[in-house]
Amino acid sequence: MQQRGPSSPSCSTSDCFPLGTLNTAACGSETSAEPQKREPAGLFRMRPIVIFYGFYLLCFGLGVACVVCVCLWNSKWRGGFAWDGSSLQFNWHPVLMVTGLVVVYGNGAVLYRIPLTWGQNKLPWKLLHAALMLLALVLSIVGLCAVFDFHNAQKTPNLYSIHSWIGIAATALFAMQWVAGMAGFLLPCSPISLRKRLKPMHVWLGGSILTLSIAACISGINEKLFFVLKGINMTQPYSALPPEALLGNSLGVLIVAFGLVVLKILSTREWQRPDSRPEDMAYTPLLQEENE
Amino acid sequence: MQQRGPSSPSCSTSDCFPLGTLNTAACGSETSAEPQKREPAGLFRMRPIVIFYGFYLLCFGLGVACVVCVCLWNSKWRGGFAWDGSSLQFNWHPVLMVTGLVVVYGNGAVLYRIPLTWGQNKLPWKLLHAALMLLALVLSIVGLCAVFDFHNAQKTPNLYSIHSWIGIAATALFAMQWVAGMAGFLLPCSPISLRKRLKPMHVWLGGSILTLSIAACISGINEKLFFVLKGINMTQPYSALPPEALLGNSLGVLIVAFGLVVLKILSTREWQRPDSRPEDMAYTPLLQEENE
C-alpha cells in the first residue's frame, strides 16, 4: 500500500529504481510525462501536513469511538465486569483486546509520523513508542488471561477456533516484535547493521500484526453476537438486528475503519519521519550512533 | 507498511523529505550514519529480484493451497455443490469468495510487480490486470448470489452479521474500484491529472479491500464451523477439533498468510514497476500519453 504522494518532488534516478536495471528511466515516474506545475512554497509545505493531521484526528477519533463502543457494549448489554470465572470476567476480553491490540497499538504505531515530533530529538519519542507498545501488549495479555481463566472455570477448551488461532498469533507476534524492537533499536549494544536489517521487517510485521488483530476482532464480535443473541428467553436473535447487534456491528465497522486509517498513515511515504539528522544524533544517550 | 529496501541507494534531499521543511537532512536517512558498503553490481541488481521471486512463488503456492483447501472442505465435508437453494448451494459461497476476492484478486494485484514484465510494453499487462480483477469481481458476485439465494430459499434474513457487513463492503468497494480503475486508467479520454490523483487512492484502496476480504473470510470460516460442528448426531463439536475443524482453521491460516505476502509485495518500494519509460509510451494505443 506504499505510494508516492501527489506533491512528492522529483527524485534521483538511483532512488526511483533501486534495482539499478533501468537507470535511463525518468524519475517522478508516475507523473513525469506532464509538465510539473510549481505551487507556492507555503502551500507546498503545508498541504501534506494539514492532510496528515486530518487523518491523525480521524485515527484518534475512531480509536476513542472503538473504546467507548466496546466498553458500552460490555457494561450495558453484557452485565459489566468481574474477575470470578463468570461471563462477567469474559467481558474484559473484548474490552482489553480492542483497547490494547487495536487502539493503543495503532496510536503507538503512528507516533513517529506526527510532524510536530520531527524537529525534536528522537529518543523521547522512541521511548514513548516502546512504552505505548508495552502498554498495548500488557492490556492484550491481560485480555487473553481473562478468556483463558473464564474457559478454564467453565471447563471449556481453549484455542480451538480460527478466531483464537489468529488472535493468539497476533499477540505472540506482537510480543516477539516488542522484544526484538527493544533489543534491536533501544539497547546500546545492538549494531547499526542489525538495525538496518531489522527495520523493514519491524515496519512490515507491525502492519501485519494490526491486520491480524482486525481479523481476530471481527471474527470475535461475530462469534460473540451469534452466541448471545439466539432469540431465546424473550430476546431477539442476531438476525433481527436488535440494538445490541447494531452496537456490536458498529464496533466492528469502527475497528476496521481505525485499522485502515492507521495502515494508510503508516504506508504514506511523505508522512514518514526523516531520520539521521545531526540534532538527532547529538541527543541520543543510549546509542551515540543512533540512526535507525 | 512502506519501507526502504536494504539495497536502496541514496536519494536526493527533496525526495527524502518531500514536505520540504527539513532540507538540510542527510539522505538514505535510515542508514547514512554508517559508511556505505559497495556490493558487486551483479549481486546488487539480482538480489532484490531473487527475493521478489521467492515471495512471488510463496504467494502463488499459498493461493493454490487456499483454493484446494476450500474446495476440499466443501466437496468432501460439506457434501459438494448444487444451485437448488439447499446447503449445497451455500457451499459455492466460501469457494467463490476465497477464490475470487482473495486468490485471483491478490494475484491480479501483484501482477505489475513481476520484474519479467518491466522490460515490456505496459498495456498488455494493464489489460491482464483489469481482466484478472474482472474475473475476481465476477466470482465474488456469483459467490454473493449463492448465499443470498440460499438465505432467501431458507427464509433467513440477509446482511445482519458483521461478517456480512464487512464482506459486502469489500465487494462493493471492489466493484467501485474496478469501475473507477477502468475509467481512470484505461479510457483514452481520462486526463493525466486525473490519473495522478487516482493512483495513490487506487493503490491504497486495493490493499484495504484485501484487508477487508481477509477479515470477512476469517469471520466466515469461524461462523460456519460453529454452525456445523455442534457436537450433535454423533459428530464432534468444533471445540474437539475434528478433522473438518482442522481443515477449516488451516484454510484460515493459509488465507491470512497469502494476504500478508500480497501486502508485503505491494508495499515493498523496490519491487514497484518503474513507469514512464519511452518504450512504454511508444506502444500504448489506448492513450499515447500513457504514463500512469
Side-chain angles (χ1 to χ4, degrees):
Chain A
M1 287 183 283
Q2 182 273 338
Q3 58 189 267
R4 289 166 204 145
S7 62
S8 193
S10 63
C11 58
S12 75
T13 300
S14 59
D15 186 52
C16 283
F17 307 111
L19 292 180
T21 54
L22 297 156
N23 56 6
T24 58
C27 275
S29 62
E30 297 305 323
T31 60
S32 60
E34 194 181 50
Q36 296 278 326
K37 286 178 189 166
R38 288 200 172 273
E39 293 182 73
L43 267 182
F44 175 79
R45 287 181 184 172
M46 289 308 296
R47 203 174 58 185
I49 295 180
V50 170
I51 296 171
F52 170 84
Y53 278 113
F55 271 88
Y56 185 71
L57 278 178
L58 185 62
C59 165
F60 191 79
L62 285 168
V64 170
C66 286
V67 175
V68 169
C69 208
V70 73
C71 288
L72 196 65
W73 179 23
N74 285 279
S75 58
K76 189 168 175 193
W77 270 275
R78 297 284 104 227
F81 306 96
W83 201 277
D84 55 3
S86 74
S87 62
L88 300 187
Q89 176 165 350
F90 176 89
N91 293 346
W92 282 113
H93 175 63
V95 168
L96 293 173
M97 300 315 282
V98 169
T99 307
L101 205 53
V102 177
V103 178
V104 179
Y105 181 94
N107 277 284
V110 300
L111 192 69
Y112 289 137
R113 273 33 179 206
I114 304 172
L116 188 71
T117 71
W118 292 0
Q120 299 164 27
N121 176 18
K122 189 176 182 182
L123 185 66
W125 297 101
K126 184 179 277 199
L127 292 171
L128 183 57
H129 174 73
L132 276 175
M133 289 310 199
L134 183 61
L135 173 65
L137 184 58
V138 169
L139 290 173
S140 311
I141 291 171
V142 178
L144 287 183
C145 289
V147 72
F148 274 83
D149 260 17
F150 165 71
H151 282 167
N152 295 340
Q154 306 288 324
K155 306 275 188 281
T156 306
N158 287 297
L159 294 179
Y160 61 88
S161 69
I162 184 65
H163 158 71
S164 63
W165 285 23
I166 301 295
I168 203 83
T171 314
L173 285 172
F174 182 20
M176 286 191 282
Q177 169 92 325
W178 194 88
V179 171
M182 178 73 185
F185 298 120
L186 271 174
L187 291 187
C189 57
S190 73
I192 301 285
S193 59
L194 176 70
R195 298 180 178 212
K196 279 168 59 180
R197 287 174 189 276
L198 200 57
K199 191 174 177 186
M201 178 61 77
H202 189 78
V203 173
W204 174 70
L205 193 57
S208 299
I209 290 166
L210 187 61
T211 306
L212 290 178
S213 306
I214 294 169
C217 285
I218 296 303
S219 54
I221 293 167
N222 202 57
E223 175 183 324
K224 181 69 182 175
L225 289 172
F226 272 112
F227 277 178
V228 297
L229 299 174
K230 289 180 174 165
I232 49 178
N233 296 331
M234 306 290 285
T235 61
Q236 285 186 290
Y238 191 9
S239 59
L241 273 179
E244 181 177 353
L246 276 175
L247 181 66
N249 284 5
S250 303
L251 171 63
V253 171
L254 287 169
I255 288 169
V256 166
F258 174 83
L260 295 184
V261 170
V262 168
L263 292 174
K264 166 72 181 164
I265 291 175
L266 292 181
S267 67
T268 301
R269 189 166 162 257
E270 62 187 357
W271 293 342
Q272 289 191 327
R273 179 190 168 100
D275 292 307
S276 299
R277 285 164 298 126
E279 60 270 28
D280 268 350
M281 308 278 286
Y283 297 99
T284 306
L286 279 186
L287 179 63
Q288 288 301 324
E289 291 179 294
E290 178 70 63
N291 78 331
E292 84 298 333
Chain B
M1 286 185 284
Q2 183 273 336
Q3 57 189 268
R4 290 167 202 145
S7 62
S8 192
S10 63
C11 58
S12 76
T13 301
S14 58
D15 185 53
C16 282
F17 307 110
L19 292 179
T21 54
L22 296 155
N23 57 7
T24 59
C27 275
S29 60
E30 297 304 323
T31 60
S32 61
E34 195 181 49
Q36 296 278 327
K37 286 180 190 164
R38 286 199 173 273
E39 293 183 74
L43 268 181
F44 176 78
R45 287 180 185 175
M46 289 307 297
R47 205 174 55 184
I49 294 180
V50 171
I51 296 171
F52 170 84
Y53 278 113
F55 271 88
Y56 185 71
L57 278 178
L58 185 62
C59 165
F60 191 80
L62 285 168
V64 170
C66 285
V67 174
V68 169
C69 208
V70 73
C71 288
L72 196 67
W73 178 23
N74 286 279
S75 58
K76 188 168 175 193
W77 270 275
R78 294 286 103 228
F81 306 96
W83 201 276
D84 55 3
S86 73
S87 63
L88 300 187
Q89 177 166 350
F90 176 89
N91 293 346
W92 283 115
H93 176 63
V95 168
L96 292 173
M97 300 314 281
V98 169
T99 306
L101 205 53
V102 178
V103 179
V104 178
Y105 181 94
N107 278 284
V110 300
L111 192 69
Y112 290 137
R113 276 29 181 207
I114 304 172
L116 187 71
T117 72
W118 291 0
Q120 300 164 25
N121 175 19
K122 189 175 181 183
L123 185 67
W125 297 101
K126 184 181 275 198
L127 291 171
L128 183 58
H129 173 73
L132 277 175
M133 289 311 202
L134 183 61
L135 174 65
L137 184 58
V138 169
L139 290 173
S140 311
I141 291 171
V142 178
L144 287 183
C145 290
V147 74
F148 274 84
D149 261 17
F150 166 72
H151 282 167
N152 294 340
Q154 307 289 322
K155 307 274 188 280
T156 306
N158 288 298
L159 294 179
Y160 61 89
S161 69
I162 183 66
H163 158 70
S164 63
W165 285 22
I166 301 296
I168 203 82
T171 314
L173 285 172
F174 182 21
M176 287 191 280
Q177 169 92 325
W178 194 88
V179 171
M182 177 75 185
F185 298 121
L186 270 174
L187 291 186
C189 57
S190 72
I192 301 285
S193 59
L194 176 70
R195 298 181 178 213
K196 279 169 58 181
R197 287 173 190 276
L198 201 58
K199 191 174 176 187
M201 179 61 77
H202 188 77
V203 173
W204 174 70
L205 194 56
S208 299
I209 290 166
L210 187 61
T211 306
L212 290 178
S213 305
I214 295 169
C217 285
I218 297 302
S219 54
I221 294 168
N222 202 57
E223 176 183 324
K224 181 71 181 174
L225 289 172
F226 272 111
F227 277 178
V228 296
L229 299 175
K230 288 181 175 165
I232 50 177
N233 296 331
M234 306 288 286
T235 61
Q236 285 185 290
Y238 192 7
S239 59
L241 271 179
E244 182 178 354
L246 276 175
L247 181 66
N249 283 7
S250 303
L251 171 63
V253 171
L254 287 169
I255 288 169
V256 166
F258 174 84
L260 295 185
V261 170
V262 169
L263 292 173
K264 165 71 181 165
I265 291 175
L266 292 180
S267 67
T268 301
R269 188 166 164 257
E270 61 185 357
W271 293 342
Q272 289 191 327
R273 179 189 168 101
D275 292 307
S276 300
R277 285 165 297 128
E279 60 269 29
D280 267 350
M281 308 277 287
Y283 297 100
T284 308
L286 279 187
L287 180 62
Q288 287 301 322
E289 291 179 291
E290 178 70 61
N291 79 333
E292 83 296 331

